[in-house]
């Protein structure tokens, strides 16, 4: 009865229902918590009413909800959060800053989420990249802070489409944070809360329409982040069944999508990447002589990431592949192999190329010993 009453246009009915909501926050907080995802947005909307009594009742109801929050860290932020809910234009960013700077010791309860989530929703829709990035960061952390995944489940149908848009944002830093947020949520909540996420990521990765290059990179980074949180068997299944076979697809944008995933996998997987190096490295090398320039450029970038991340631990496996590439008929393969071989030697020798007019042998003795 309360939800339809909050939607009434008549100000007296709406004010009475809002006051009842505030009373329930004290009398039946546990029962009310289940309905907060539906009720709080209506209260926030009521605060935008032209009638002053409705506005006052809505703000008091939000304050009553804030008083039953059990998390002490959020309890201290209630005034800041309510300001962000009632004055979103000016107070959303300060609320995000306060949340991101808070060191949480206790789990976040349902009333806390009722005040936090609307702020995240607004921030994810913001035009400013810094605001979206901070909102994605906070959203990704929620999974580790809540007491039960069921508390955040009612908000996922609204928040996830917004996060997906941020994952394919034109700004690289925003995409990176959103991708990591998705991986963190996947790790914290479990696969059952994201039943179609791999289908969406793969469709976006291999899409050839609109601004597909940006979307491809965002999907690749998010997919790598999620795969990095999976068990080894499940991760290898996606790599072997969905990604590596697509590297031989007749469509260049599909092959490019695979290479973009391989750009992000070494960093995301860390030491786990060694177990799939023997399968991934040939795919990267084959991309170096692809007929499509975007595929070649992405493959070279993927090769450089592999060298940078695993030069010390896996040099014995990387070096033979690059040596073989030096003598292949394709000139592009030879040139790329020379570049990657140089990167490998620099990483092993813990040095870098320096171009000067003076003697350029200074400081190379130590590097020579390491390479040898």
């Amino acid at each position: 009865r309360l939800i339809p009453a909050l939607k009434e246009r008549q100000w007296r009915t709406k004010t009475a229902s809002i006051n009842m909501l505030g009373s329930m926050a004290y009398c039946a907080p546990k029962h009310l918590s289940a309905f907060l995802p539906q009720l709080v947005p209506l209260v926030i909307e009521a605060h935008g009413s032209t009638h002053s009594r409705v506005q006052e009742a809505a703000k008091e109801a939000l304050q009553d909800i804030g008083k039953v929050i059990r998390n002490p860290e959020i309890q201290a932020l209630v005034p800041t959060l309510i300001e962000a809910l009632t004055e979103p234009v000016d107070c959303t960013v300060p609320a995000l800053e306060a949340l991101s700077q808070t060191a949480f010791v206790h789990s976040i309860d349902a009333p806390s989420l009722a005040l936090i989530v609307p702020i995240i929703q607004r921030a994810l829709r913001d035009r400013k990249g810094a605001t979206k990035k901070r909102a994605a960061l906070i959203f990704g952390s929620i999974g580790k802070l809540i007491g039960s995944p069921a508390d955040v489940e009612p908000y996922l149908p609204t928040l996830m489409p917004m996060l997906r848009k941020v994952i394919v944002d034109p700004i690289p830093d925003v995409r990176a944070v959103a991708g990591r947020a998705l991986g963190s949520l996947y790790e914290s909540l479990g696969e059952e809360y994201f039943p179609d996420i791999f289908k969406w990521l793969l469709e976006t990765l291999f899409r050839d329409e609109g601004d597909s290059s940006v979307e491809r990179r965002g999907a690749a980074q998010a997919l790598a982040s999620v795969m990095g949180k999976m068990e080894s068997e499940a991760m290898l299944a996606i790599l072997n069944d969905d990604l590596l076979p697509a590297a031989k697809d007749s469509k260049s944008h599909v092959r490019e999508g695979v290479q973009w995933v391989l750009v992000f996998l070494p960093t995301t997987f860390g030491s786990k990447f060694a177990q799939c190096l023997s399968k991934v490295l040939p795919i990267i090398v084959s991309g170096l002589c692809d007929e499509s320039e975007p595929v070649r450029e992405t493959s070279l970038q993927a090769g450089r990431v592999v060298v940078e991340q695993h030069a010390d631990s896996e040099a014995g496996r990387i070096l033979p592949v690059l040596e073989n590439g030096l003598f292949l008929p394709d000139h592009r393969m030879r040139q790329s192999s020379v570049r990657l071989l140089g990167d490998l030697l620099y990483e092993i020798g813990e040095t870098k190329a320096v171009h000067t007019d003076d003697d350029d042998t200074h400081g190379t003795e130590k590097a020579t010993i390491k390479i040898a």
Side-chain angles (χ1 to χ4, degrees):
R1 295 180 181 180
L2 192 58
I3 293 177
L6 285 170
K7 297 180 180 180
E8 286 286 339
R9 294 185 177 182
Q10 215 284 331
W11 71 267
R12 286 189 175 87
T13 303
K14 182 172 290 190
T15 302
S17 61
I18 294 173
N19 290 332
M20 185 182 299
L21 171 62
S23 301
M24 289 181 65
Y26 289 102
C27 301
K30 292 184 178 180
H31 182 73
L32 182 65
S33 295
F35 298 94
L36 287 177
Q38 295 82 31
L39 291 171
V40 171
L42 295 175
V43 176
I44 295 171
E45 182 181 350
H47 186 270
S49 171
T50 56
H51 202 287
S52 60
R53 291 191 180 180
V54 177
Q55 292 180 8
E56 293 173 2
K59 190 165 186 176
E60 289 178 2
L62 292 173
Q63 291 171 344
D64 290 337
I65 293 172
K67 291 177 182 178
V68 299
I69 289 175
R70 297 188 299 273
N71 180 285
E73 293 86 26
I74 297 297
Q75 181 63 248
L77 297 177
V78 165
T80 302
L81 299 178
I82 292 179
E83 286 181 356
L85 295 173
T86 56
E87 302 292 338
V89 175
D90 299 323
C91 300
T92 295
V93 172
L96 292 174
E97 291 177 349
L99 286 169
S100 61
Q101 293 171 5
T102 299
F104 286 93
V105 178
H106 305 81
S107 61
I108 296 178
D109 53 6
S112 298
L113 286 176
L115 298 186
I116 294 173
V117 169
I119 298 173
I120 296 177
Q121 290 175 348
R122 179 178 178 83
L124 288 174
R125 295 193 301 263
D126 200 273
R127 293 183 179 181
K128 296 179 180 178
T131 304
K132 288 185 286 189
K133 185 165 65 173
R134 185 161 283 169
L137 183 64
I138 295 171
F139 182 29
S141 302
I142 280 179
K144 298 178 180 179
L145 299 174
I146 56 176
S148 168
D151 290 340
V152 76
E153 184 177 8
Y155 301 103
L156 292 179
T158 303
L159 285 173
M160 284 307 301
M162 297 179 182
L163 184 63
R164 291 183 181 188
K165 290 183 179 180
V166 181
I167 285 173
V168 295
D169 192 88
I171 304 175
D173 287 348
V174 175
R175 294 198 303 267
V177 172
R180 289 195 295 270
L182 180 60
S184 179
L185 287 167
Y186 185 89
E187 179 184 29
S188 302
L189 303 181
E191 184 180 359
E192 62 270 23
Y193 288 92
F194 307 94
D196 64 337
I197 193 62
F198 287 106
K199 179 182 178 182
W200 176 79
L201 286 171
L202 291 171
E203 287 178 352
T204 306
L205 182 67
F206 298 142
R207 185 181 302 155
D208 185 26
E209 58 185 35
D211 193 6
S212 56
S213 179
V214 170
E215 294 179 355
R216 204 159 21 248
R217 298 178 195 183
Q221 196 161 12
L223 179 59
S225 181
V226 174
M227 290 175 64
K229 305 299 183 182
M230 302 174 67
E231 297 294 333
S232 295
E233 291 184 2
M235 175 269 291
L236 289 173
I238 293 177
L239 187 67
N240 296 327
D241 299 340
D242 298 308
L243 291 175
L244 298 187
K248 300 179 180 180
D249 196 276
S250 59
K251 300 174 183 178
S252 63
H253 66 271
V254 174
R255 300 195 300 274
E256 182 189 354
V258 175
Q259 297 294 345
W260 272 117
V261 177
L262 300 183
V263 169
F264 299 111
L265 281 184
T267 304
T268 305
F269 280 17
S271 60
K272 291 195 302 181
F273 187 76
Q275 64 184 308
C276 53
L277 185 61
S278 59
K279 296 181 178 181
V280 167
L281 198 55
I283 299 297
I284 295 175
V285 171
S286 66
L288 296 173
C289 60
D290 196 276
E291 60 183 15
S292 170
E293 183 176 358
V295 177
R296 295 197 301 270
E297 292 178 350
T298 310
S299 300
L300 181 59
Q301 187 172 342
R304 284 177 164 166
V305 173
V306 170
V307 168
E308 180 182 349
Q309 296 292 322
H310 299 279
D312 292 331
S313 59
E314 302 296 332
R317 300 167 69 180
I318 299 173
L319 184 58
V321 177
L322 299 182
E323 287 179 332
N324 183 60
L326 297 175
F327 303 100
L328 293 176
D330 190 281
H331 72 279
R332 292 182 294 240
M333 178 72 80
R334 296 196 301 271
Q335 183 182 35
S336 298
S337 297
V338 169
R339 290 181 179 179
L340 292 176
L341 183 59
D343 291 341
L344 180 64
L345 295 177
Y346 285 131
E347 289 292 334
I348 295 175
E350 296 182 359
T351 184
K352 61 181 180 179
V354 178
H355 302 284
T356 66
D357 295 330
D358 302 323
D359 179 16
D360 60 357
T361 62
H362 177 70
T364 61
E365 183 177 353
K366 182 179 178 181
T368 302
I369 294 173
K370 288 190 174 184
I371 292 172

